[in-house]
Amino acid sequence: MWRLVPPKLGRLSRSLKLAALGSLLVLMVLHSPSLLASWQRNELADRRFLQLNKCPACFGTSWCRRFLNGQVVFEAWGRLRLLDFLNAKNVYFAQYGEPREGGRRRVVLKRLGSQRELAQLDQSICKRATGRPRCDLLQAMPRTEFARLNGDVRLLTPEAVEGWSDLVHCPSQRLLDRLVRRYAETKDSGSFLLRNLKDSERMQLLLTLAFNPEPLVLQSFPSDEGWPFAKYLGACGRMVAVNYVGEELWSYFNAPWEKRVDLAWQLMEIAEQLTNNDFEFALYLLDVSFDNFAVGPRDGKVIIVDAENVLVADKRLIRQNKPENWDVWYESKFDDCDKEACLSFSKEILCARATVDHNYYAVCQNLLSRHATWRGTSGGLLHDPPSEIAKDGRLEALLDECANPKKRYGRFQAAKELREYLAQLSNNVR
């Protein structure tokens, strides 16, 4: 069963929202001239709004022509800067149009961090370069670790960036070559050699890798090749554009049973694909919640839309180096915490084992089973099954074993059987 926020909290939440709305209306009246100006002006064509002036302490320039030519415009309320205080994640919706194509399509724009996080980034760059919290970033970047690979450096090596972010917590040379070869913020992409990149492009690459590697995940494991991530489009300054997928998975929490079964099956298929694939890269999702997935409105396809916290382990390297216990199957520990979207894991173990059940555990515990909690609800995506399925008991048993196994290596078997069972229920048998 799933439950809503308790009534008292619900009333308090509504009261706070009404108070915030009232305050907002007052501010709108007080700032009506600037409000009208921000509504009429396309700030996405403004170099300073895009923070293009901060490059190479930025995420790239491949989409600058489109932004500066006015081909990207905010949707409705996104034009009002007065509402930015409500947008803590700095994620915007916009419309993009290519003159030759005609018409527009929806895109998602991201600054890849909150205003506070971006300010801290600037301060850290300045302190490392000058010892002061403020400086000219253009002058400061060449004096930081982001410039360590400038000049005649041939390769991006594990020793240079290991541990900078989840993506490169334990990078192999094969993974780093893939990142460089597929780096989209250069005109000369396609080569794994760093020396084919300009110094400014190398600094942008390393800064993105350290601050928020999501763009590099989307570029290195692209949707065009069947990976379950949103499509990367480009960047200008500190604004990244990705393809709009659809509504968040959360909006389907109370969808008809047949729809939820299909979504659950897709989620388990994603867990399998990211764990076992022909490329021998295991992509472990370290942040799994209903907000990090979206569903295509036409094809109903589930896609990962937040890929900041993805750890990539090279199984080929693990089998080659054979670290201690490398061939012992690793079972993730169930975490029955009192917070939403909890996960328990060891990055070191994820990097050192060839067979790991983390992705199955993350999807079952945080999205599908009765242990999943989000926005005051519980019961998971597969809450309230039809009476005949509930009476049969197989679905509940598989979900429980996948989330919190009672048998040794039980989750591996339960995940396999759950995928097959959900396929049968949704007629997705292949």
Side-chain angles (χ1 to χ4, degrees), residues 110-319:
K110 301 183 177 185
R111 289 199 188 276
L112 301 183
S114 66
Q115 294 299 107
R116 181 180 179 183
E117 291 168 335
L118 290 165
Q120 289 174 341
L121 172 64
D122 290 346
Q123 289 180 10
S124 66
I125 292 172
C126 290
K127 286 182 178 179
R128 291 170 190 172
T130 68
R132 299 187 301 273
R134 294 186 179 183
C135 66
D136 182 337
L137 293 175
L138 181 61
Q139 300 298 321
M141 278 290 282
R143 299 163 63 184
T144 68
E145 67 272 26
F146 300 123
R148 66 168 64 175
L149 300 181
N150 284 359
D152 192 30
V153 178
R154 183 172 181 271
L155 297 174
L156 176 62
T157 60
E159 296 76 21
V161 295
E162 183 174 2
W164 279 25
S165 59
D166 289 334
L167 176 60
V168 288
H169 188 79
C170 49
S172 65
Q173 189 61 56
R174 189 166 69 101
L175 172 65
L176 296 181
D177 288 348
R178 186 183 182 95
L179 296 184
V180 175
R181 186 170 62 251
R182 293 166 176 257
Y183 186 50
E185 295 302 320
T186 175
K187 294 180 180 179
D188 296 320
S189 60
S191 171
F192 63 88
L193 297 176
L194 264 184
R195 62 189 180 199
N196 289 336
L197 302 182
K198 299 176 182 177
D199 283 352
S200 60
E201 293 168 345
R202 298 185 201 192
M203 289 189 284
Q204 290 169 7
L205 169 61
L206 293 184
L207 180 135
T208 305
L209 190 60
F211 181 70
N212 184 337
E214 178 178 331
L216 301 177
V217 174
L218 305 188
Q219 294 166 32
S220 300
F221 302 94
S223 59
D224 292 347
E225 296 177 9
W227 295 96
F229 297 106
K231 182 180 176 61
Y232 180 81
L233 298 176
C236 185
R238 288 187 175 174
M239 192 72 82
V240 166
V242 300
N243 191 47
Y244 172 75
V245 173
E247 295 292 330
E248 294 175 345
L249 179 64
W250 171 248
S251 66
Y252 291 84
F253 189 80
N254 288 315
W257 173 252
E258 293 77 12
K259 181 64 177 179
R260 288 185 282 129
V261 167
D262 176 67
L263 298 177
W265 172 76
Q266 290 189 61
L267 288 165
M268 291 301 295
E269 288 293 308
I270 287 174
E272 173 65 19
Q273 178 187 7
L274 296 184
T275 304
N276 299 304
N277 52 71
D278 294 339
F279 299 93
E280 296 187 89
F281 285 119
L283 284 70
Y284 297 118
L285 304 176
L286 306 186
D287 181 10
V288 175
S289 73
F290 282 90
D291 286 354
N292 291 348
F293 297 81
V295 181
R298 292 189 178 89
D299 57 11
K301 190 174 182 180
V302 178
I303 295 293
I304 299 167
V305 292
D306 188 337
E308 177 181 359
N309 303 110
V310 176
L311 185 151
V312 179
D314 190 333
K315 289 187 175 184
R316 190 178 299 176
L317 184 66
I318 293 173
R319 294 189 181 100

Side-chain angles (χ1 to χ4, degrees), residues 22-193:
S23 302
L24 179 61
L25 290 174
V26 172
L27 288 172
M28 289 174 71
V29 172
L30 293 176
H31 294 81
S32 55
S34 59
L35 181 69
L36 181 61
S38 66
W39 182 270
Q40 295 175 331
R41 184 172 63 251
N42 180 16
E43 291 182 292
L44 290 175
D46 185 338
R47 300 174 68 91
R48 295 196 66 82
F49 182 78
L50 297 170
Q51 299 187 18
L52 188 56
N53 58 306
K54 295 190 176 184
C55 290
C58 68
F59 309 128
T61 58
S62 65
W63 253 45
C64 281
R65 178 183 60 81
R66 294 171 175 84
F67 276 104
L68 299 177
N69 285 350
Q71 293 172 242
V72 188
V73 295
F74 280 127
E75 290 185 348
W77 298 105
R79 303 177 188 177
L80 300 179
R81 300 281 63 77
L82 196 61
L83 299 179
D84 281 350
F85 78 98
L86 296 173
N87 188 8
K89 293 185 177 181
N90 272 334
V91 176
Y92 307 89
F93 295 101
Q95 294 287 326
Y96 163 67
E98 188 71 44
R100 292 171 296 178
E101 297 176 359
R104 290 184 173 272
R105 59 173 164 140
R106 201 176 196 192
V107 296
V108 179
L109 306 179
K110 301 183 177 185
R111 289 199 188 276
L112 301 183
S114 66
Q115 294 299 107
R116 181 180 179 183
E117 291 168 335
L118 290 165
Q120 289 174 341
L121 172 64
D122 290 346
Q123 289 180 10
S124 66
I125 292 172
C126 290
K127 286 182 178 179
R128 291 170 190 172
T130 68
R132 299 187 301 273
R134 294 186 179 183
C135 66
D136 182 337
L137 293 175
L138 181 61
Q139 300 298 321
M141 278 290 282
R143 299 163 63 184
T144 68
E145 67 272 26
F146 300 123
R148 66 168 64 175
L149 300 181
N150 284 359
D152 192 30
V153 178
R154 183 172 181 271
L155 297 174
L156 176 62
T157 60
E159 296 76 21
V161 295
E162 183 174 2
W164 279 25
S165 59
D166 289 334
L167 176 60
V168 288
H169 188 79
C170 49
S172 65
Q173 189 61 56
R174 189 166 69 101
L175 172 65
L176 296 181
D177 288 348
R178 186 183 182 95
L179 296 184
V180 175
R181 186 170 62 251
R182 293 166 176 257
Y183 186 50
E185 295 302 320
T186 175
K187 294 180 180 179
D188 296 320
S189 60
S191 171
F192 63 88
L193 297 176

Side-chain angles (χ1 to χ4, degrees), residues 295-364:
V295 181
R298 292 189 178 89
D299 57 11
K301 190 174 182 180
V302 178
I303 295 293
I304 299 167
V305 292
D306 188 337
E308 177 181 359
N309 303 110
V310 176
L311 185 151
V312 179
D314 190 333
K315 289 187 175 184
R316 190 178 299 176
L317 184 66
I318 293 173
R319 294 189 181 100
Q320 176 183 319
N321 291 345
K322 295 181 171 56
E324 184 179 1
N325 295 324
W326 70 275
D327 56 349
V328 177
W329 289 17
Y330 177 66
E331 296 179 284
S332 302
K333 304 303 179 185
F334 172 74
D335 190 352
D336 191 15
C337 70
D338 58 354
K339 298 180 181 179
E340 296 182 332
C342 287
L343 286 177
S344 174
F345 53 83
S346 164
K347 294 181 183 180
E348 283 63 38
I349 292 180
L350 295 179
C351 288
R353 301 287 182 93
T355 307
V356 177
D357 66 0
H358 173 84
N359 285 334
Y360 313 131
Y361 152 67
V363 169
C364 285

Side-chain angles (χ1 to χ4, degrees), residues 348-422:
E348 283 63 38
I349 292 180
L350 295 179
C351 288
R353 301 287 182 93
T355 307
V356 177
D357 66 0
H358 173 84
N359 285 334
Y360 313 131
Y361 152 67
V363 169
C364 285
Q365 177 176 297
N366 283 8
L367 300 177
L368 304 186
S369 74
R370 60 187 175 88
H371 302 286
T373 59
W374 192 248
R375 298 190 187 180
T377 68
S378 62
L381 187 64
L382 294 175
H383 65 83
D384 298 323
S387 57
E388 64 274 13
I389 293 177
K391 185 177 180 180
D392 174 69
R394 185 185 178 194
L395 177 61
E396 183 179 2
L398 288 174
L399 287 172
D400 281 347
E401 188 69 9
C402 183
N404 186 15
K406 304 301 186 292
K407 304 174 185 176
R408 188 182 185 190
Y409 303 138
R411 183 180 287 119
F412 290 97
Q413 183 61 30
K416 179 178 181 296
E417 292 184 21
L418 182 58
R419 287 168 51 219
E420 294 171 353
Y421 185 52
L422 291 172

